[in-house]
Amino acid sequence: MRNLDEDNITQAVLARHAAMPDERLREIMTSLVQHLHSFAREVKLTEEEWFAGIQFLTETGQICSDKRQEFILLSDTLGLSMLVTALNNRKPQGCTESTVFGPFHVEGSPEYALGDNVAEGVKGEPCFVRGTVRDINGEPVPHASMEVWQADADGFYDVQYEHLEAHQGRGTFRSGPQGEFHFRSVRAEAYPIPYDGTVGRMLKALSRHPWRPAHLHFLIKAEGYETLITHVFRDGDQYLDSDAVFGVRSSLIADWVWHEAGIAPDGSRVDVPFYTLDFDFVLNPVQAGKAA
């Protein structure tokens, strides 16, 4: 087709996709083209703005590495990550809600036994975390794989430091025979997402802050249950209602309880004040035809 213009180019592009054998891909690409073209028409996109957008995406990709995922940050801060999470994680009442994955998960994090300190060498006030993993009927889920990761008191994850020889502030362990778990870490603190790149420039242009409320990340897997990716947020944090990535859910907010120096829940003696966090997770059984 020749001599295309602003009135007929969209249909011409869609016609090129008509023979696509993958029905789902055709559905996605049809909608994507329609929305992109409608967006350009609606805002009357200039060539200068279009080139600026291309450059923005190019630089976003160039920032990405094995330690930093700028595209996840972009998706997070536009609310797209949380929207996709919500669409794909509808659960029965009583199940622990899901939230965004974030850009700092690491495959193959160190394995720990229950009660170990996953934050050895990490800056922060001591915190003892404990709880249970159960199903929607209240039955314990034993031997669930539980990954946890968090930032330190300065707001940085281990992968943001260049010279660490081993992972810190993250680990994998398994729930006990009654679904119980307990480990030692440090108190979660609010922190800004990385804002020295394209996402930071975007947030500044939009007069938005980059801060996330204090939280712990959890990824929980167990046979027969849907995988749970979630956070536990610290109550009272000033950014709970303005999380830069829109991830807060009221059901995921918990108290970090302050204690004077003394005997910790695991029986050890702690010579400085410490915190405890109690939180129970409820998993949703895998539904027929749905992957875990």
Side-chain angles (χ1 to χ4, degrees), residues 2-288:
R2 304 181 184 181
N3 304 319
L4 297 171
D5 59 27
E6 62 185 87
D7 296 318
N8 60 15
I9 190 170
T10 303
Q11 291 307 313
V13 175
L14 297 181
R16 297 283 180 89
H17 300 166
M20 188 184 305
D22 187 324
E23 293 184 6
R24 176 59 175 164
L25 180 58
R26 183 168 64 250
E27 177 186 14
I28 291 172
M29 290 303 299
T30 296
S31 185
L32 176 64
V33 169
Q34 289 173 329
H35 283 284
L36 283 175
H37 286 213
S38 295
F39 159 73
R41 291 187 180 97
E42 179 181 341
V43 302
K44 297 180 173 60
L45 194 66
T46 68
E47 290 181 315
E48 291 79 10
E49 291 164 341
W50 178 72
F51 278 118
I54 294 294
Q55 184 61 35
F56 175 84
L57 293 176
T58 299
E59 292 179 17
T60 298
Q62 290 170 339
I63 292 172
C64 294
S65 69
D66 61 339
K67 294 185 176 180
R68 177 164 177 172
Q69 234 302 348
E70 195 78 358
F71 271 114
I72 290 181
L73 283 179
L74 179 59
S75 175
D76 288 351
T77 53
L78 292 177
L80 181 59
S81 297
M82 195 58 228
L83 173 59
V84 173
T85 295
L87 289 171
N88 287 274
N89 289 277
R90 298 185 180 99
K91 303 176 189 294
Q93 186 75 22
C95 287
T96 302
E97 292 187 273
S98 299
T99 190
V100 293
F101 196 40
F104 295 117
H105 176 258
V106 171
E107 293 289 345
S109 62
E111 294 188 5
Y112 290 97
L114 290 179
D116 284 351
N117 185 359
V118 302
E120 191 70 49
V122 174
K123 294 180 181 178
E125 299 173 276
C127 180
F128 295 82
V129 184
R130 59 193 175 186
T132 60
V133 182
R134 297 186 178 277
D135 67 15
I136 191 66
N137 298 313
E139 294 297 319
V141 180
H143 314 304
S145 172
M146 305 183 69
E147 292 185 54
V148 60
W149 64 103
Q150 70 172 98
D152 63 17
D154 291 333
F156 294 106
Y157 289 81
D158 55 352
V159 294
Q160 294 178 274
Y161 291 105
E162 293 184 2
H163 304 298
L164 287 182
E165 296 181 356
H167 287 302
Q168 296 179 344
R170 68 177 71 239
T172 301
F173 51 92
R174 291 191 176 273
S175 62
Q178 298 302 314
E180 77 280 6
F181 67 89
H182 57 102
F183 63 92
R184 179 171 172 171
S185 188
V186 295
R187 188 179 84 144
E189 301 288 352
Y191 65 87
I193 62 171
Y195 58 93
D196 57 339
T198 52
V199 171
R201 295 208 314 265
M202 180 191 74
L203 293 179
K204 183 176 180 181
L206 294 171
S207 298
R208 287 177 51 187
H209 71 70
W211 285 85
R212 297 219 62 206
H215 61 272
L216 283 176
H217 293 262
F218 284 87
L219 189 161
I220 304 175
K221 298 179 180 180
E223 185 175 356
Y225 297 92
E226 294 177 6
T227 294
L228 174 65
I229 298 171
T230 195
H231 303 359
V232 179
F233 295 92
R234 181 156 60 83
D235 196 14
D237 191 285
Q238 63 178 314
Y239 299 110
L240 286 172
D241 293 315
S242 62
D243 181 10
V245 308
F246 307 97
V248 177
R249 295 291 179 267
S250 295
S251 66
L252 302 177
I253 299 173
D255 288 324
W256 266 250
V257 180
W258 183 87
H259 302 267
E260 293 184 355
I263 304 301
D266 63 0
S268 65
R269 179 167 186 80
V270 183
D271 295 328
V272 296
F274 62 91
Y275 291 82
T276 55
L277 167 64
D278 292 275
F279 197 87
D280 296 331
F281 296 95
V282 179
L283 303 187
N284 191 31
V286 172
Q287 305 301 313

